[in-house]
Amino acid sequence: MKRSKLVLVGNGMAGVRTLEELLKLAPDLYDITVYGAEPHGNYNRILLSPVLAGEMKLPEIMLNDVDWYKQNGITLHTGRKIVRIDRVRRRVVADDGAEERYDRLLLATGSTPVMLPIPGHDLPGVLAYRDIADTETMIAASARGGRAVVIGAGLLGLEAANGLKARGMDVTVVHLAPWIMERQLDRSAADMLQASLEARGLKFLLERQTVELVRGTKKSDGRVAAVRFADGSEIPADLVVMAIGIRPNTALAEAAGLHCNRGIVVNDTMQTYDPRIYAVGECVAHRGVAYGLVAPLFEQGKVAANHLAEFGIARYAGSAISTKLKVTGIDVFSAGDFMGGPDDDEIVLADKRGGVYKKLVLRDNRIVGAVLYGDTVDSGWYFQLMKEKKCVGPLRDKLMLGQSHGGAGHEGRNRAAELPDDFEVCGCNGIRKITIVKAIKEKGLFTLEEVRRHTKASSSCGSCTGLVEQILASAVGGAYQPVAAEKKPICGCTDYTHEEVRKAVKDNRLLSIPEAMRFLEWRTPTGCASCRPALNYYLLCAWPKEYKDDAQSRFINERAHANIQKDGSYSVVPRMYGGVTTPAELKRIAEVAEKYAVPTVKVTGGQRIDLLGVKKEDLPAIWADLAMPSGYAYSKGLRTVKTCVGSEWCRFGVQDSTGLGIDLERDLERLWTPHKTKLAVSGCPRNCAEAAIKDVGVIGVDSGWEIYVAGNGGIKTEVAQFLCKVKTREEVLEVAGAFIQLYREEARYLDRTVHWVARVGLDTVKQRVVEDGEGRRALYARMKEALSVEKDPWAERAAGFDAAEFRPMRFHSRDCVSGESSDERLAENLSA
Amino acid sequence: MSDWLKICPLEDIPRLGAKVVKGVGNADIAVFRNAEDEVFAVDDRCPHKGGPLSQGIVFDRRVACPLHGMTVHLDTGHAQAPDEGCTHKYRVRVDKGVVFLNLG
């Protein structure tokens, strides 16, 4: 079949990123041709500042060299400008008159620096700061030394000034506003930044309006020699850099009759008014906004690629943006509405001498803006909270202290920039910081997903995710955009989120994985190891009676009802309700351990006994001999209810914790949940059952029971939060069961209760489980309904169910002799 | 050919699943069946840390190792990029609903 023709105008970061995304989705759909006005491949424009400052070299900032285009079958024309679009004949015309036909056209023409239209703006020695050529010109000019004047103290202006200063020039920054970076910083942060730049030798002239660039006498060959201001004063200049802003390049689009309004106007699919023409990047106006930072442009690229690939499901809804200044040794971060309004709350930390300033703007207990100066290690965290519109009410008093004080445990370590190179970031995979930084630089990684794929860091338990994100943010600067979890698709097989999938399963009565995949237009025929277990859980949770569990979509532990070990053997943990056993049970366990030569017998943290090193094929027989129910120690489900001795024996006990623990475990056993679920019951506030770090922890007090939820003793150590106090056992069962059912119905697959409650807020949970009595009873009833169809898996398998799963095909050495292949041997194997 | 060893009827291997064949090669061999009834055979050892691939989740023409999740392409035995490594692959075919394995 003849392939369609896609032409990209503009060989920059936004356009080429779109092509990369497109090639991932539909590698063979198009013949692709790229026109770029610059004579290079695609480079990282953000890193021009480090190049100017002499900290990086040009080859280091190339993203796609000429070979990349070749390898992907893309025709690249560098140094050639498209001057006209003939929309009727669907052709673009280059500056040398050559024409190129297109079926789809992608405009990524970027932007141009704004030049003040004042006398002298076109003198030699006056330039803008935009591309490699500008950078090279500045480097060459700085080699002659002298005085540079930078007009505009925005992000780019300051980076240019810093670079020129680093190259030995005497630099003055001229700015119209009363403080520098006024679009990104409040006055306090700006003053501190200015002071620290002045300490490096930069000079500032604020509230100065430039009216003329003065031509020098013949000694300077007619080059620029001075800058004159509205008040008549003048300062000498050998080089003038204008950095007052950028303007979207829309001339080409406008001439072709495409609707433009401070950018090429596009809809949420990045389509222009001509349906064959898409546009991305700085040249675009989306919902009235033109973005000049790279992260939103990448998001646009992803959406455009989705539509070019004819998937037709992605939408761009605008981006929250954040800014970081790339001046070595100075950390500035800004995001959102950092000035705030009269009704907003401000939390401010200001340490002028120490050089630290932090301001968070809160509206209805949600972060809407942030300015950080001097200490920006928590910028990623604040930005994430802001983008997710997360309620920070419970965190308010600790918010300013940063993420490391917001929670204990491994996740707390987070001074990414200060960590030594050989610091082990990912404890699961043994990945050091230097390995991650090198991979980011050498392979041009931009996203957490890419870092995971290439280095394995943060791909196992995920507890170092925050740290990896910070390393990424410090290595790629403003190009890093954390993905808002709300919009995160389940996996690469779909663009739908967990919530959207759940809703579709419920609303459309989807009753099998293939049906769900068809309905939701999964990209892959059989999903992957991430989405299939999630789908299986969502279907089971939504339709406990109708859905037939798909064993092949469960992890091996839940398929085999035992925990796989590093050597491929399994472990067996029978249930001991509330941690209570009997001499008869212990004898049976001991006999089984001897009979099957179990190498290790261990007491678990959940108060039961683990038989380790069991062969898979022995499992059904062991279960038969044990005659005990499965402990579900392998499950994303109800594990154990840990108990202390309680009032039956303990001299301090005020409640029968053991008895309640047993009741709870009997009430909830065999329940599947989004992740593992652990409970504990203590008989007095001494809390010997460690109920404060469980998903549901119950503590007996003289007058009844206190119920705590969303604790965690693992990856993210988190103390459980008080949910309510009740008087009777029956009430504990109902509240605990309703809480777990709500977690089952609303958490994402693989969310622990701690993650889920942190997201939805304890107040919501309280309302649904404690205050709304009718709702609580309904939740509890649905939990019971789900359990009504669950049978003990070990008893079933001991009786022969699913026997094939456990039986390998065993051949004897004589079978292997090559030669005749008789039906007799086949028969023998089949009966083995 | 004489080198082909009869293994089992195709139906004995679950769709999107695998069976372990013991005692024919030097080590266990995993025989997989995907959604389209294609059959693949590789050593039952993940190139990462030796995990039993037969126990993993099968999708497309791939399997995710049950120990640490490395994905292995069943048609080549190679780990999915950017991972590196390779597990030995065997020829396998289905004839009249019966699976044959070639150790050669």
Side-chain angles (χ1 to χ4, degrees), chain A residues 536-564:
Chain A
N536 189 59
Y537 172 75
Y538 291 148
L539 287 157
L540 186 69
C541 184
W543 311 110
K545 296 200 161 147
E546 296 83 353
Y547 177 62
K548 192 179 166 297
D549 200 292
D550 178 26
Q552 300 311 133
S553 294
R554 284 196 179 259
F555 288 117
I556 183 59
N557 287 1
E558 294 182 351
R559 206 184 320 144
H561 290 275
N563 294 58
I564 196 165

Side-chain angles (χ1 to χ4, degrees), chain A residues 195-464:
Chain A
S196 97
L197 291 169
E198 280 168 347
R200 294 179 170 216
L202 292 181
K203 285 177 251 170
F204 288 88
L205 290 174
L206 301 180
E207 296 181 84
R208 290 301 169 93
Q209 189 191 350
T210 309
V211 292
E212 189 184 347
L213 303 179
V214 185
R215 180 198 287 264
T217 53
K218 64 175 178 299
K219 192 180 74 176
S220 56
D221 309 327
R223 289 173 58 91
V224 69
V227 176
R228 183 174 299 154
F229 303 114
D231 61 6
S233 62
E234 250 186 52
I235 55 168
D238 302 303
L239 177 72
V240 173
V241 179
M242 289 224 206
I244 55 169
I246 54 169
R247 182 183 294 136
N249 283 332
T250 56
L252 179 68
E254 262 172 298
L258 291 173
H259 179 45
C260 295
N261 182 11
R262 287 189 214 137
I264 305 170
V265 174
V266 294
N267 61 19
D268 285 358
T269 68
M270 306 314 294
Q271 202 172 35
T272 68
Y273 273 60
D274 180 336
R276 288 187 180 271
I277 305 181
Y278 287 79
V280 292
E282 292 182 324
C283 60
V284 157
H286 171 264
R287 300 190 187 177
V289 182
Y291 294 93
L293 297 164
V294 73
L297 312 188
F298 283 180
E299 286 182 32
Q300 294 177 353
K302 201 162 185 170
V303 173
N306 185 289
H307 290 276
L308 287 170
E310 296 172 1
F311 283 41
I313 45 176
R315 275 178 69 237
Y316 180 66
S319 301
I321 54 172
S322 69
T323 320
K324 269 190 170 178
L325 184 69
K326 283 170 302 301
V327 170
T328 307
I330 296 183
D331 295 321
V332 185
F333 170 86
S334 146
D337 183 2
F338 61 90
M339 292 303 277
D343 297 328
D344 296 336
D345 298 340
E346 281 183 11
I347 304 181
V348 178
L349 181 152
D351 175 1
K352 278 219 164 124
R353 192 171 292 269
V356 175
Y357 174 82
K358 303 183 187 186
K359 176 163 96 174
L360 299 175
V361 179
L362 272 59
R363 195 171 299 155
D364 302 329
N365 266 331
R366 281 161 175 84
I367 298 179
V368 295
V371 177
L372 306 177
Y373 177 83
D375 175 6
T376 57
V377 289
D378 288 304
S379 56
W381 186 51
Y382 293 137
F383 192 46
Q384 187 86 23
L385 290 171
M386 184 181 119
K387 292 201 345 170
E388 293 183 355
K389 300 189 176 63
K390 206 157 149 179
C391 173
V392 294
L395 290 174
R396 261 182 103 115
D397 53 341
K398 290 180 281 188
L399 205 52
M400 202 33 87
L401 303 176
Q403 190 174 19
S404 51
H405 296 272
H410 186 74
E411 198 176 43
R413 288 193 240 147
N414 72 353
R415 309 255 139 178
E418 293 163 24
L419 293 173
D421 280 351
D422 60 355
F423 179 83
E424 189 175 83
V425 173
C426 174
C428 295
N429 295 294
I431 311 298
R432 294 175 307 143
K433 180 185 164 191
I434 182 79
T435 314
I436 299 173
V437 173
K438 268 175 92 173
I440 292 170
K441 294 236 155 97
E442 285 168 11
K443 306 206 165 107
L445 312 182
F446 280 106
T447 67
L448 179 65
E449 243 356 273
E450 289 170 344
V451 173
R452 280 184 181 153
R453 264 192 284 122
H454 281 87
T455 68
K456 295 283 165 293
S458 135
S459 63
S460 297
C461 84
S463 72
C464 59

Side-chain angles (χ1 to χ4, degrees), chain A residues 429 453-454 456 524-529 532-533 552-556 559 564-568 570 616-617 804-813 815-816 818-823 825-826 829-830, chain B residues 1-9 12-25 35-36 48-52 54-60 62 64 66-67 70 81-83 98 100 103:
Chain A
N429 295 294
R453 264 192 284 122
H454 281 87
K456 295 283 165 293
T524 48
T526 49
C528 71
R532 287 233 311 275
Q552 300 311 133
S553 294
R554 284 196 179 259
F555 288 117
I556 183 59
R559 206 184 320 144
I564 196 165
Q565 304 296 319
K566 62 185 283 187
D567 62 352
Y570 287 81
K616 189 179 182 185
E617 49 193 297
E805 170 72 31
F806 300 91
R807 194 173 51 217
M809 278 178 283
R810 197 178 294 284
F811 288 72
H812 304 294
S813 52
D815 300 324
C816 307
S818 62
E820 90 286 21
S821 50
S822 69
D823 286 337
R825 191 204 301 162
L826 174 64
N829 291 328
L830 294 179
Chain B
M1 263 301 287
S2 58
D3 292 355
W4 289 95
L5 180 66
K6 265 187 192 177
I7 296 296
C8 64
D12 281 13
I13 309 174
R15 277 226 170 92
L16 294 173
K19 282 301 261 185
V20 187
V21 178
K22 287 179 179 289
V24 292
E36 281 85 46
H48 179 222
K49 293 201 171 171
S54 57
Q55 309 298 301
I57 290 181
V58 181
F59 55 100
D60 188 16
R62 288 171 275 177
L67 292 196
M70 182 188 270
D83 284 329
V98 177
F100 291 83
L103 298 176

Side-chain angles (χ1 to χ4, degrees), chain A residues 470-621:
Chain A
Q470 286 181 24
I471 292 171
L472 192 56
S474 64
V476 301
Y480 176 62
Q481 182 90 338
V483 182
E486 262 107 76
K487 286 194 260 166
K488 235 176 236 180
I490 289 188
C491 65
C493 301
T494 179
D495 286 324
Y496 291 113
T497 64
H498 287 269
E499 284 73 16
E500 289 166 337
V501 169
R502 283 199 104 149
K503 190 163 182 310
V505 164
K506 193 90 200 166
D507 292 353
N508 302 288
R509 206 182 152 78
L510 306 175
L511 290 175
S512 73
I513 291 179
E515 203 184 332
M517 286 181 172
R518 259 196 313 278
F519 185 86
L520 291 160
E521 298 175 319
W522 236 244
R523 276 200 276 277
T524 48
T526 49
C528 71
S530 295
C531 60
R532 287 233 311 275
L535 284 173
N536 189 59
Y537 172 75
Y538 291 148
L539 287 157
L540 186 69
C541 184
W543 311 110
K545 296 200 161 147
E546 296 83 353
Y547 177 62
K548 192 179 166 297
D549 200 292
D550 178 26
Q552 300 311 133
S553 294
R554 284 196 179 259
F555 288 117
I556 183 59
N557 287 1
E558 294 182 351
R559 206 184 320 144
H561 290 275
N563 294 58
I564 196 165
Q565 304 296 319
K566 62 185 283 187
D567 62 352
S569 71
Y570 287 81
S571 87
V572 173
V573 182
R575 192 171 288 290
M576 288 178 178
Y577 299 92
V580 175
T581 181
T582 63
E585 270 183 0
L586 289 174
K587 276 186 198 160
R588 282 209 303 281
I589 292 172
E591 275 159 16
V592 163
E594 284 190 343
K595 178 173 171 187
Y596 295 91
V598 171
T600 298
V601 181
K602 185 186 179 305
V603 174
T604 72
Q607 301 187 331
R608 37 207 199 163
I609 291 173
D610 194 353
L611 305 175
L612 288 139
V614 173
K615 287 202 279 296
K616 189 179 182 185
E617 49 193 297
D618 287 341
L619 287 170

